[in-house]
Amino acid sequence: MNFVVAPGSLAGLKRLAALILACCFFLPLYSCSTQGKPPPAARSASEPAAATVSVPASVRAAVAAHAGAPAPPRLPARLEFSAYEAFSWGDSYSMAALLVFFWPAVLQLAAAVAPAAGVRAAKAELLLWLGSAAALAWLLWRARFLPGYQLEVGMPLAALALLLYAVPRLARAGPPASG
């Protein structure tokens, strides 16, 4: 059984995948748990007091001066990481992240505006796709196999969008239809 897919629907699939991948730049990709200090345990009246230590008066005065100061801010229990939150214009890793998530959108925009430019840009498509797949695989490894890290919604969605972007190329490169 042969399925015939219209070229317009394949182009639409690539545009949709490019849009999803660009949106994943702003979604949390992974999160990690923080190791905050546990709250001090309350000592019951029945427990013996700890050994007393002689504290110099200068230290007691310094502690008393800060007794009314607010406590330092605590980290939340989980930190979420997205490419957008880590982005900095001067950083080369940020530029690479921008390339990983936005090259399909740029190629699709080029193909819509100037079809000849889109044809020329499609020659680099495989190399860009492989680079993005490698970057997402590294993030997936980091989020999945390092202790304390957990995948968030952006990572699987970005991987799915990258696979969807490759479907039209695979459909064109498939076996020829036998009649």
Side-chain angles (χ1 to χ4, degrees):
M1 180 189 303
N2 290 333
F3 293 101
V4 178
V5 180
S9 64
L10 290 178
L13 182 64
K14 285 179 85 167
R15 287 187 190 114
L16 177 66
L19 179 65
I20 291 171
L21 191 60
C23 289
C24 288
F25 181 78
F26 301 99
L27 293 175
L29 299 174
Y30 60 91
S31 62
C32 74
S33 62
T34 58
Q35 299 292 331
K37 292 181 181 176
R43 190 170 46 101
S44 68
S46 63
E47 290 182 30
T52 57
V53 176
S54 173
V55 178
S58 60
V59 172
R60 275 187 264 143
V63 169
H66 294 291
R74 293 181 60 117
L75 292 174
R78 296 199 68 74
L79 293 175
E80 292 181 343
F81 295 96
S82 71
Y84 172 73
E85 290 173 349
F87 187 78
S88 172
W89 279 106
D91 186 25
S92 60
Y93 288 114
S94 293
M95 293 298 133
L98 197 64
L99 181 66
V100 164
F101 289 97
F102 283 101
W103 70 265
V106 170
L107 286 185
Q108 291 303 307
L109 185 62
V113 172
V119 169
R120 286 193 306 265
K123 293 178 182 176
E125 191 174 50
L126 180 62
L127 182 62
L128 289 168
W129 189 90
L130 289 173
S132 291
L136 287 177
W138 178 77
L139 286 173
L140 179 67
W141 173 83
R142 182 177 178 181
R144 192 67 193 131
F145 296 113
L146 292 180
Y149 284 82
Q150 180 179 351
L151 288 176
E152 292 295 331
V153 67
M155 180 65 68
L157 195 59
L160 178 66
L162 202 57
L163 287 174
L164 282 176
Y165 193 85
V167 166
R169 179 176 283 273
L170 295 173
R172 283 193 306 254
S178 59

